[in-house]
Amino acid sequence: MKINNKKVSLLSKGEAPKGRGILIGIGILAVSFLFYKFIDKDSLIQVIYDSLPNKEAGLLNGMLWGDKTGFGKDFWNQLKNSGLVHLVVVSGTNMIIVFRSVIENLAKILGRKWAIGIGFLIALGYVGLVGWQIPVVRALILVSVMYWAQILGRRYNVVRGLILSVLIIVMAWPSSLTDISFWLSFGAFVGVISSPWRDIVRSTVWVSLWVSPILAISFGTMNLIGPISNLLVLFTVEAITIVGFLGSILGIFIPILGKIILWGIYPLLKYFGVVAGVIGEWKWVNLNINFNWLILFGWYLMLIWMLFKVKNLAR
């Protein structure tokens, strides 16, 4: 039996066959035209409000499109008190988590280079829809530098990549150094790429440990169970974001289909809201502490020490 060596070589390198690549390219062009011609942020927000109850619709619109008009004052305070507020605003945290997930899953089907290219186009479309908000653009730069190295076939050096990303961001927006949303995106990104674990439980706690002190400086309180509250809901973020994105877009063209898809994540949105509501009412979980930059530095030194310790034990 003859084996097509060229085909085997392409697949072994994670490349998509030529015919599939052409079809993908045509699909991208078609979707890009539909986005440009028919889709805008306000329409997508309205699709969600037409499809879901107000509280869940407001939560989804906050997570997807950065629209805060659907948050009541009490619920907003609950989100802050539970340490979950960074997951329901367009701070870049969601984008980093979801963008990486999209690429890693598409890579299994299309090959890594095609997956990175399509993921990048999807990310650009998303940034365009939310209005080129600086926090999202900064998150896009962070992940783009990492995946650009992979397209070039080079090993990604975490330290160099972070330095390059920060330099690009600071040169474009010098005020980023004093912007909490930048440090939230940065902390989430470092947590995601540095996690020595693959399972969702430990990875979630690890990411939360990188984000928690930044939230403490921002709000003046340290959430004692922030990693736990994040662990309870973070597994829902990926599904809510991806399915919500798909459902709201399809809902513009086929309202009934969009509504069916969006109702599929209603239980997850409801669950997220319940967790935030319950933990957000626990006054004892927030410790008033003067969390200054010295404590922050010590906190991250401990995390770096833990990272080296875990990696040494794994050898």
Side-chain angles (χ1 to χ4, degrees), residues 78-300:
Q78 290 169 351
L79 288 166
K80 289 196 295 183
N81 293 338
S82 59
L84 299 175
V85 70
H86 66 289
L87 295 176
V88 299
V89 294
V90 183
S91 66
T93 304
N94 291 4
M95 184 176 179
I96 288 169
I97 294 169
V98 176
F99 185 38
R100 187 179 188 224
S101 173
V102 168
I103 289 177
E104 297 303 327
N105 284 294
L106 281 177
K108 299 172 185 176
I109 304 170
L110 306 175
R112 179 155 291 274
K113 289 186 178 180
W114 271 105
I116 293 172
I118 292 172
F120 185 70
L121 288 174
I122 292 172
L124 281 177
Y126 176 71
V127 173
L129 285 173
V130 299
W132 290 91
Q133 297 182 33
I134 292 176
V136 184
V137 177
R138 288 186 300 221
L140 179 62
I141 292 171
L142 285 169
V143 291
S144 296
V145 170
M146 178 176 70
Y147 284 110
W148 181 248
Q150 294 183 18
I151 288 178
L152 296 177
R154 297 183 178 183
R155 185 182 179 88
Y156 180 70
N157 184 289
V158 174
V159 176
R160 290 179 183 173
L162 287 174
I163 292 172
L164 176 60
S165 302
V166 171
L167 284 175
I168 293 171
I169 291 168
V170 171
M171 285 191 293
W173 303 284
S175 61
S176 295
L177 289 175
T178 57
D179 191 337
I180 289 295
S181 67
F182 164 64
W183 293 110
L184 280 174
S185 299
F186 185 79
F189 179 69
V190 174
V192 168
I193 64 172
S194 67
S195 175
W197 303 285
R198 295 291 181 183
D199 61 284
I200 191 169
V201 174
R202 287 181 293 184
S203 294
T204 299
V205 172
W206 182 251
V207 172
S208 180
L209 287 173
W210 281 88
V211 171
S212 292
I214 302 170
L215 292 171
I217 284 183
S218 177
F219 298 119
T221 59
M222 184 67 182
N223 192 294
L224 299 177
I225 60 170
I228 297 175
S229 60
N230 277 264
L231 178 61
L232 289 173
V233 301
L234 198 57
F235 75 94
T236 70
V237 171
E238 184 179 321
I240 287 173
T241 306
I242 294 174
V243 177
F245 185 78
L246 179 64
S248 54
I249 289 174
L250 288 177
I252 289 178
F253 304 102
I254 313 173
I256 186 64
L257 179 58
K259 184 173 290 190
I260 291 170
I261 292 173
L262 290 173
W263 268 96
I265 55 172
Y266 171 79
L268 297 179
L269 290 164
K270 186 71 175 178
Y271 168 77
F272 193 113
V274 169
V275 171
V278 171
I279 296 179
E281 292 298 322
W282 295 349
K283 305 299 182 184
W284 59 270
V285 302
N286 286 295
L287 180 66
N288 290 319
I289 183 172
N290 184 19
F291 207 95
N292 54 40
W293 293 103
L294 184 60
I295 299 175
L296 186 77
F297 181 72
W299 180 288
Y300 285 127

